[in-house]
Structures are given as C-alpha cells and as structure tokens.
Amino acid sequence: MDERLSHALVHPDRFSELLADLGNVQAAVPVLLTVLLYVAWRGRASGTDRWWPAPLAAAVLMALVPALIVPVKELIARGGTPAVPPGTGYYPSGHTATAMIAYGASTLVLLPWLRTSYARRGAVAVCALLVAAVSFGLVRRGYHWPLDVVASWCLGTVLLASLRLLLDRFRSEPQPK
C-alpha cells in the first residue's frame, strides 16, 4: 500500500523540493533558536524566576531528535523510493521529525507569550502548515515513502506531548502578562 500510494503521489518538481527543504536542520533549527532566544529574553525581562526551563527543555528535545532517529534508521535499514539513490536509512524521516520538533517546540514555548487566542491559534496553524508542507514535499519529491513520514509524525507527537506536559509543570506559577 505504501508503494502504491507513493507512486500515485510522486511528482518531483522544484516546489516540492522547496517544501521538503523546510525540514532541513539549516532551515528549521534557526527558527527554533530565534524563538527560544525571544522567549528567554521575554521571561527574564518580565522578572519571571523560572524563565529558563521552557527554552532549555525545547533545546534538549531538538538535540534528542538525531539521537532517536539515527539508531532507528540503522536498525530498520529501509530502502528509499525509486526517486532517490540506492541505499538505506530512510525510515523514519529525519526531515519530518526535525520539522515537527523545531516548529512544534517553537510553538509550544511561544504560546504563553501570545496575548490573544487568535494569535495562539494562528501560531498552531502555521506550525501545522509547515509540518504538513514538509511532509507533502518529501513524499511528492520522492525523498520518502509515506510511511517514513507517518512514523516521524508518531514520534514527534509523543515528543511534543511530553514537552507539553513538562512545560505545564513549570507553568504552575502565574502566566506572563
């Protein structure tokens, strides 16, 4: 089924390549670092005693991505689609995991600093759109089988849910204004 779906979706073009590139470390991690610096700056400026746990937790989570993905890629050793050079290590998608964690963690640490529910919903929508765009681009370009991307969604969901639970524990003090 994965192969049939991939063959139906693969249509390598420049646009799908650009979407896939949004999951590169060089694109996603600077977004995360910028948000983490902003949140740390806002936390310190507001006089919040515990301004550092959220940025630190998000940074550690991003650092865990390759530590989790690389061993699984080695263990599974799944081959790529016909659109990529022969080889293994395509499952799960590192680009999808990078996008989910970088954009998702950015969103989670930024949410308390957004004043309106409209802004918070907008941030979540942008995050979801970026991850969906990367996922679509990876499959459409033929860099990954659909299941490679779905596996990273599952991993990313568990990691981001864990981050959310951790952040909720640290937010027991009054919310920033």
Side-chain angles (χ1 to χ4, degrees), residues 25-76:
V25 169
Q26 297 87 346
V29 172
V31 171
L32 176 62
L33 290 176
T34 301
V35 170
L36 296 183
L37 288 172
Y38 172 76
V39 167
W41 172 74
R42 286 284 309 266
R44 274 190 63 87
S46 73
T48 304
D49 290 336
R50 296 183 58 119
W51 58 268
W52 55 270
L56 178 62
V60 167
L61 188 63
M62 188 73 242
L64 280 176
V65 169
L68 295 171
I69 294 289
V70 171
V72 173
K73 284 179 176 279
E74 294 291 323
L75 180 68
I76 303 292

Side-chain angles (χ1 to χ4, degrees), residues 19 96 99-100 126-138 149 153:
L19 293 177
T96 304
M100 268 195 88
V126 167
C127 172
L129 182 63
L130 285 168
V131 172
V134 168
S135 301
F136 175 78
L138 290 167
V149 170
W153 288 347

